[in-house]
């Protein structure tokens, strides 16, 4: 049997193991261990197993993951994100589909702080959806907006997915953060524009609010709204001007979030404890998969599967945009079954050799991959974010209604994706200033 | 909890209690490491930006002590609460019996894989101890003690995974996935 054949068999076994709910970390690791042993020798396999985890831990960039997770969990556990929706509503309430547009704004800010799409959707579903339903918004719109706008967390920095991409692609995480900013903003604007156009054309989707915010409410909204932008811009600004590394930015962000919570009067020991436990669990879950992915990268490289695939793809076309479209198809398909961190770590060992072969800018590629992963979070049949909302709301809205509502947002996202592919400057302008 | 479920055997309950305490304890270590890491990094940034004199060895201590403790120690806790990232789509469509079969298979594979890992990292830890392994950075720091976090954490994970598999046979009627397997043992 040739090496490439062994590689493809390994891929097949991997997918089989994933299907029977073997943890992604274990599936990647055990397939790679056996695969490397078959391709070379069991001695080499043990050797790689011994070298990988501890050396990987020594990678300074890796420490950005727990730090940014901590910042996000502290921000939400300490109540910084509590008043966001109400405050946004004062600002965007009067526009067509005001509550839905407010949700986009609140999700974008929440996502920026938390870095996690699923956390954003879960929190916002409980706050915003009941409000929208009370004002007789169409249920598909009410749920769709939260499911979709929740995904903004993957792109708007600081984002955990960008950190992971940076580590594996060996691209500067600071540059990736800067690159994600405008595309994240663009996605949010596209969502808001799509909602307003739809509501203008069909006002019954979202009856207008009959309330005008008082002066008092506006002041209150302002008091809520300054904190998260200060936190996010402080963290990003520090990276942008080169004051600190991403890891340091995360640590500073976590402490800053805590200070803001103290000012706001909502900090508690119990909240801090929960934030730390959640951070440790998430970091470890990511770490074990990442180890599996490093092993898998070695296995794939030895087997020659990525070379084979990239040769096949390049023989069809060497046009960068067409290659990206093929890549996009793969991610959209996988996104239907697997969550984003999993897909990222599963595919990078194969995708990275491919795109560097085609001479594609890795920062730009990273942003496009993340955008694709975002779309994958809401596409049926899995659409993780849709299920998160469903489970947060119980029986109030049917699953198919949510998926129908999400469709419009997927259309908006595909337009954004097209713009990102056609105009690399949207992603690459800010990093070029660093 | 179905009322007809038989009481879990004594040795199993004892083991559950021990592993719950052990994983709780490693979680405390991880949490303390995480908090110290945050404080240390912020102190280093402040010292560098404000006083132009960074704390020597921060990079090495963060990477080889705080990080190792913070993201490896919780391994057993992760297994206990079934917080691994998995693909649920096909599993969710299986019959309860099919789910148990998958769960047991997955638990056994997890045990085998992490046993291999625990064994290899144990050998590495012994070797690092013998040579008093250190890193050369801004400061020389001995890092061999951190090596022991890996075998201990992975061994704990294996024990929890085996306990979870045993539980499926003791309680064939309950859904084993996505919960704390020691929660109802007192």
């Amino acid at each position: 049997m040739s090496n490439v054949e062994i590689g493809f068999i390994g891929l097949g076994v991997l997918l089989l193991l994933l299907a029977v709910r073997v943890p992604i970390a274990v599936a990647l690791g055990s397939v790679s261990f056996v695969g490397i042993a078959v391709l070379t020798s069991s001695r080499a396999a043990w050797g790689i197993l011994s070298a990988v985890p501890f050396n990987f831990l020594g990678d300074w960039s890796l420490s950005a993951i727990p730090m940014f997770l901590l910042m996000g969990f502290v921000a939400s556990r300490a109540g910084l994100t509590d008043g966001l929706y109400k405050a946004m509503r004062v600002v965007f309430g009067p526009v067509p589909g005001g509550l839905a547009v407010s949700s986009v704004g609140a999700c974008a800010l929440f996502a920026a702080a938390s870095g996690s799409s699923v956390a954003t959707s879960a929190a916002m579903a409980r706050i915003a959806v009941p409000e929208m339903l009370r004002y007789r918004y169409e249920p598909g719109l009410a749920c769709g907006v939260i499911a979709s706008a929740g995904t903004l967390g993957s792109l708007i920095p600081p984002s955990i997915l960008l950190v992971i991409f940076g580590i594996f692609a060996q691209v500067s995480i600071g540059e990736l953060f800067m690159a994600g900013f405008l595309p994240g903003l663009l996605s949010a604007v596209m969502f808001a524009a799509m909602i307003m156009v739809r509501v203008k054309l069909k006002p019954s989707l979202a009856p207008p609010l009959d309330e005008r915010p008082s002066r008092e409410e506006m002041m209150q909204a302002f008091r809520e709204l300054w904190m998260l932008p200060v936190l996010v811009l402080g963290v990003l600004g520090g990276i942008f001007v080169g004051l600190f590394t991403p890891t340091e930015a995360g640590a500073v962000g976590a402490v800053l979030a805590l200070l803001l919570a103290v000012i706001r009067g909502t900090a508690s020991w119990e909240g801090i404890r929960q934030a730390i436990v959640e951070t440790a669990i998430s970091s470890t879950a990511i770490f074990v998969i990442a180890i599996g992915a490093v092993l898998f990268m070695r296995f794939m490289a030895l087997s020659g599967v990525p070379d084979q695939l990239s040769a096949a793809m390049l023989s069809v076309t060497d046009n960068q945009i067409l290659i990206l479209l093929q890549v996009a198809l793969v991610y959209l398909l996988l996104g239907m079954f697997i969550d984003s961190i999993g897909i990222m770590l599963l595919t990078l060992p194969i995708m990275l050799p491919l795109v560097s072969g085609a001479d594609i800018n890795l920062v730009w590629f990273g942003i496009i991959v993340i955008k694709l992963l975002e779309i994958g979070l809401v596409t049926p049949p899995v659409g993780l974010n849709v299920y998160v909302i469903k489970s947060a709301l119980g029986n109030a809205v049917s699953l198919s209604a949510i998926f129908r509502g999400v469709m419009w947002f997927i259309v908006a996202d595909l337009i954004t994706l097209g713009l990102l592919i056609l105009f690399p400057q949207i992603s690459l302008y800010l990093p070029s200033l660093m | 909890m179905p009322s007809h479920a038989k009481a879990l055997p004594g040795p199993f309950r004892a083991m559950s209690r021990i592993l719950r305490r052990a994983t709780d304890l490693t979680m405390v270590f991880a949490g303390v490491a995480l908090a110290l890491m945050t404080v240390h990094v912020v102190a280093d940034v402040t010292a560098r930006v404000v006083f132009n004199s960074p704390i020597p060895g921060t990079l090495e201590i963060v990477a080889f002590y705080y990080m190792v403790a913070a993201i490896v120690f919780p391994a057993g806790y992760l297994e206990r609460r079934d917080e691994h990232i998995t693909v649920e789509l096909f599993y969710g469509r299986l019959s309860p019996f099919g789910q148990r079969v998958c769960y047991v298979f997955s638990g056994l594979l997890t045990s085998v894989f992490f046993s291999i890992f625990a064994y290899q990292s144990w050998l590495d830890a012994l070797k690092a101890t013998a040579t008093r392994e250190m890193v050369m950075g801004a400061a020389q720091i001995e890092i061999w003690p951190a090596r022991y976090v890996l075998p201990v954490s992975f061994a704990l994970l294996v024990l929890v995974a085996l306990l979870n598999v045993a539980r499926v046979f003791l309680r064939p009627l309950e859904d084993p996935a996505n919960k704390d397997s020691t929660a109802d043992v007192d």
Side-chain angles (χ1 to χ4, degrees):
Chain A
M1 220 176 351
S2 75
N3 284 359
V4 174
E5 282 167 353
I6 294 172
F8 276 111
I9 291 174
L11 259 177
V13 174
L14 174 68
L15 293 179
L16 217 68
L17 290 179
L18 291 180
V20 300
R21 200 178 174 276
V22 171
I24 298 179
V26 175
L28 278 169
S30 44
V31 164
S32 310
F33 182 72
V34 174
I36 292 170
V38 172
L39 285 176
T40 54
S41 65
S42 56
R43 230 182 116 90
W46 283 93
I48 288 176
L49 205 55
S50 134
V52 163
F54 207 68
N55 291 350
F56 187 59
L57 279 165
D59 185 341
W60 169 250
S61 312
L62 193 66
S63 45
I65 294 177
M67 291 293 93
F68 280 118
L69 283 171
L70 184 64
M71 169 182 147
F73 284 125
V74 168
S76 60
R77 285 288 173 199
L80 286 192
T81 48
D82 289 353
L84 215 49
Y85 179 68
K86 238 173 115 188
M88 278 290 172
R89 193 174 146 175
V90 173
V91 182
F92 290 114
V95 305
L99 291 180
V101 176
S102 310
S103 303
V104 173
C107 281
L109 269 182
F110 189 107
S114 81
S116 156
S117 297
V118 170
T120 306
S121 292
M124 282 297 155
R126 288 194 191 86
I127 305 169
V129 175
E131 273 300 285
M132 285 189 268
L133 294 181
R134 199 160 64 82
Y135 279 90
R136 303 241 295 280
Y137 272 46
E138 195 242 337
L141 174 65
C143 298
V145 65
I146 302 294
S148 307
T151 66
L152 291 170
S154 319
L155 206 50
I156 297 180
S159 135
I160 298 300
L161 277 172
L162 284 174
V163 175
I164 297 175
F165 182 87
I167 293 171
F168 275 81
Q170 307 203 315
V171 180
S172 147
I173 293 165
E175 276 185 40
L176 282 169
F177 278 2
M178 291 309 139
F181 191 77
L182 290 179
L185 211 60
L186 176 67
S187 308
V189 171
M190 291 294 285
F191 286 160
M194 188 274 290
I195 294 168
M196 287 193 278
V197 170
R198 271 193 79 202
V199 172
K200 262 269 183 271
L201 294 177
K202 195 177 168 197
S204 66
L205 283 176
L209 306 184
D210 47 6
E211 57 188 26
R212 280 241 150 265
S214 65
R215 231 190 135 66
E216 178 57 31
E217 279 172 324
M218 281 162 99
M219 286 306 293
Q220 176 68 29
F222 176 75
R223 277 199 295 274
E224 282 296 343
L225 276 179
W226 68 271
M227 288 190 175
L228 283 178
V230 163
L231 178 62
V232 172
L233 292 177
V235 165
L236 292 180
I239 298 176
F240 187 67
V241 301
L243 201 58
F244 29 70
T245 66
T247 301
E248 292 166 353
V252 169
V255 171
L256 196 59
L258 191 59
L259 286 179
L260 289 172
V262 171
I263 294 174
R264 198 174 176 275
T266 45
S268 72
W269 287 111
E270 178 55 20
I272 297 172
R273 194 192 64 82
Q274 283 173 353
I276 288 180
V277 169
E278 284 167 321
T279 303
I281 290 179
S282 303
S283 309
T284 307
I286 293 172
F287 169 68
V288 286
I289 297 193
I291 296 253
V294 175
L295 293 171
F296 190 59
M297 212 169 226
R298 300 281 180 95
F299 171 44
M300 283 292 108
L302 284 171
S303 74
V305 165
D307 301 332
Q308 181 96 355
L309 287 178
S310 70
M313 232 182 230
L314 289 173
S315 71
V316 179
T317 171
D318 59 357
N319 180 313
Q320 289 197 350
I321 289 178
L322 289 178
I323 291 176
L324 276 180
L325 286 178
Q326 296 180 46
V327 170
L329 204 63
V330 173
Y331 276 100
L332 288 180
L333 277 173
L334 286 176
M336 295 174 183
F337 307 101
I338 310 175
D339 86 302
S340 24
I341 291 178
I343 301 179
M344 175 93 122
L345 291 171
L346 277 172
T347 53
L348 285 186
I350 296 173
M351 290 295 178
L352 285 175
L354 173 69
V355 293
S356 32
D359 203 24
I360 291 172
N361 180 314
L362 281 176
V363 172
W364 180 46
F365 179 68
I367 300 304
I368 287 169
V369 167
I370 308 270
K371 188 69 218 168
L372 288 165
L373 293 177
E374 285 189 340
I375 300 174
L377 276 173
V378 290
T379 38
V382 171
L384 200 59
N385 261 20
V386 172
Y387 285 89
V388 166
I389 289 185
K390 173 74 182 151
S391 73
L393 293 178
N395 287 326
V397 181
S398 78
L399 205 53
S400 54
I402 307 179
F403 273 123
R404 267 201 308 279
V406 159
M407 281 307 157
W408 289 93
F409 291 89
I410 295 181
V411 171
D413 257 344
L414 289 175
I415 297 173
T416 308
L417 179 67
L419 290 173
L420 292 180
I421 292 181
L422 288 177
F423 303 105
Q425 308 90 303
I426 302 173
S427 314
L428 299 177
Y429 175 65
L430 282 182
S432 74
L433 298 179
M434 278 174 82
Chain B
M1 182 66 43
S3 55
H4 57 271
K6 276 187 290 184
L8 293 161
F12 180 88
R13 290 212 311 273
M15 200 61 200
S16 294
R17 277 195 299 269
I18 292 170
L19 287 177
R20 183 170 60 208
R21 286 206 194 111
T23 46
D24 277 343
L25 186 66
T26 51
M27 197 57 182
V28 170
F29 293 154
V32 170
L34 203 55
L36 286 176
M37 174 169 161
T38 313
V39 172
H40 193 142
V41 170
V42 171
D44 178 54
V45 174
T46 315
R48 195 186 64 221
V49 174
V50 182
F51 306 107
N52 200 21
S53 65
I55 303 169
T58 298
L59 211 76
E60 290 77 17
I61 295 176
V62 166
F64 291 103
Y65 281 94
Y66 298 142
M67 271 299 276
V68 173
I71 72 178
V72 181
F73 265 138
Y77 194 87
L78 194 72
E79 185 67 33
R80 176 182 129 199
R81 298 248 309 243
D82 200 11
E83 299 259 12
H84 283 294
I85 302 180
T86 52
V87 179
E88 302 275 342
L89 178 67
F90 306 102
Y91 180 84
R93 304 197 166 177
L94 294 173
S95 67
F97 179 74
Q99 291 187 345
R100 307 298 184 272
V101 173
C102 286
Y103 186 88
V104 167
F105 170 74
S106 161
L108 292 177
L109 186 64
T110 303
S111 315
V112 172
F113 178 68
F114 279 102
S115 301
I116 292 175
F117 239 137
Y119 176 69
Q120 182 60 47
S121 57
W122 171 250
L123 294 182
D124 292 340
L126 291 179
K127 211 163 84 189
T129 311
T131 59
R132 302 261 144 194
E133 183 186 28
M134 29 179 134
V135 281
M136 313 288 178
Q140 279 193 7
I141 291 163
E142 297 204 9
I143 57 168
W144 59 268
R147 290 259 184 193
Y148 286 94
V149 176
L150 276 74
V152 169
S153 308
F154 293 152
L156 205 52
L157 187 158
V158 170
L159 292 178
V160 175
L162 292 174
L163 188 83
N164 289 349
V165 168
R167 194 184 162 106
V168 175
F169 291 99
L170 291 170
R171 283 273 164 83
L173 293 176
E174 73 182 16
D175 181 2
N178 298 319
K179 60 172 200 218
D180 184 339
S181 55
T182 64
D184 61 350
V185 179
D186 47 38

